[in-house]
Amino acid sequence: MVDSVFPGVGVTAVVAKVEQGLPGPPGPPGVGSTGSGTVGASNISSDMAIVLVSGLLVPADPTNIVHAGLPIYIATQAGTSGATITYAAAGDLAGGAWVVGTRYYAGLNGFLSTTARAVGAVWAKSIGVGKTSGIIAVQMGPTIRIN
């Protein structure tokens, strides 16, 4: 027993040997930084914010609360309904016209906007920052729900 700062209460020192255990099973897959998918009913433009709904890519809609809980990607190519396109969730994307140092957000109909909150939005999300006039650095921020 060791002396305690509380009268009448003793403290017992415990010494334990700690060893590294076996690695656990792999976790579930996360959001990849790139991928491809099929365009839904609405055409998609390159550099548009998109989400995957029922297996199809559609423009991200900040007025749709369901989209708030979904991973958001940026289309890296355009496509019409039924086409397969590529997308990214992080990194430097070439194309488009960006203002250096300006932050871009998910806007109405999936178009990127310099306005943080779209009209009628129930959520907002920062998508990235203009790195050069032709490159956006995609750095997804947290999704903010708006009441």
Side-chain angles (χ1 to χ4, degrees), residues 32-133:
S33 61
T34 62
S36 64
T38 303
V39 176
S42 298
N43 294 342
I44 291 176
S45 300
S46 184
D47 302 319
M48 182 179 276
I50 57 176
V51 293
L52 186 63
V53 177
S54 300
L56 298 172
L57 296 170
V58 299
D61 180 2
T63 66
N64 184 335
I65 193 65
V66 172
H67 291 190
L70 300 175
I72 295 182
Y73 307 101
I74 301 300
T76 54
Q77 63 186 137
T80 57
S81 181
T84 298
I85 64 167
T86 57
Y87 57 80
D92 292 351
L93 300 183
W98 312 106
V99 177
V100 175
T102 298
R103 183 158 298 282
Y104 291 87
Y105 303 87
L108 295 176
N109 301 315
F111 292 101
L112 300 189
S113 171
T114 56
T115 303
R117 182 178 181 179
V119 174
V122 293
W123 59 270
K125 186 176 189 82
S126 170
I127 301 296
V129 177
K131 188 171 184 178
T132 69
S133 61

